[in-house]
Every structure is written in C-alpha cells, then in structure tokens.
Amino acid sequence: LPSAYHLMSHMVVVVPFSRIQDQFRTRKRRRHDGNDHGGGGDDVVEMESFKNSPLLQLRWFRLVCDEGHELGASPTGSEVTQFINLIASERRWVLSGTPTTGDED
C-alpha cells in the first residue's frame, strides 16, 4: 500500500478486500517463520504486526467494506474483520451484492 502521506492526498481510497486479505496472509506467514516478534498470545502478535499499516495511521471519514458476505465467513475473513475493526473511521458501511437466502446462522 502507498504511504499514509500519499493516501492523505486523496478524497477516495479503494483497497480491495483481497489486498487486505493478502496483507494478513503475508504477516501470518512471517509470524510462523519466526520473523515477527512480539509478546503474549497469537492475537497480540497478529495485531502488533499491522501497526505500521498506512490504513491504521489515518482517521477516515467513511470506511466502506465491499464483499461484506466474506467478513466472518471463514477464519481468514474473521481475521480481516479484526483488522478492519482497528481502522479509525467516523462511519462504517458494509456492502454486498451477493444475495442470501436468509437461512444462514
């Protein structure tokens, strides 16, 4: 991702769900390889590894998450949801164009 300074110069920033998912996978892989150091449990290590993300360095007016049906649908989706919850924003919108039957838990 570009730097926080670069992102700050734009009115709208689009970051695909897959890009955040890929960033999480990279961090997770580094942690398993022993390159990501931190104390405490696994959750602490995962969240600590995102501190330098430009998405967390700014306060956003509106955060719009597309593909909302993917959030929490799998272990990776849940982890991405945890990361998204760390992003400071005034408003949060979750969108999905995928129809649901209404019988999911």
Side-chain angles (χ1 to χ4, degrees), residues 42-60:
D42 288 344
D43 291 340
V44 173
V45 175
E46 289 170 11
M47 293 305 125
E48 289 291 320
S49 66
F50 287 120
K51 274 188 174 178
N52 294 327
S53 172
L55 298 174
L56 298 178
Q57 294 174 11
L58 300 171
R59 180 162 184 83
W60 304 90

Side-chain angles (χ1 to χ4, degrees), residues 57-101:
Q57 294 174 11
L58 300 171
R59 180 162 184 83
W60 304 90
F61 176 70
R62 181 175 295 123
L63 175 65
V64 181
C65 298
D66 194 10
E67 304 297 335
H69 61 281
E70 294 288 335
L71 300 176
S74 66
T76 303
S78 295
E79 292 155 346
V80 170
T81 301
Q82 289 176 12
F83 174 74
I84 290 171
N85 286 334
L86 293 174
I87 299 173
S89 66
E90 296 287 325
R91 294 168 175 82
R92 295 172 186 269
W93 293 359
V94 179
L95 308 174
S96 180
T98 302
T100 60
T101 59

Side-chain angles (χ1 to χ4, degrees), residues 18-55:
S18 60
R19 183 75 180 260
I20 293 174
Q21 200 170 25
D22 288 345
Q23 183 177 2
F24 173 79
R25 286 183 182 143
T26 300
R27 299 292 185 185
K28 190 173 184 180
R29 200 173 311 121
R30 284 184 188 156
R31 188 189 79 210
H32 288 304
D33 289 345
N35 295 335
D36 211 2
H37 302 290
D42 288 344
D43 291 340
V44 173
V45 175
E46 289 170 11
M47 293 305 125
E48 289 291 320
S49 66
F50 287 120
K51 274 188 174 178
N52 294 327
S53 172
L55 298 174

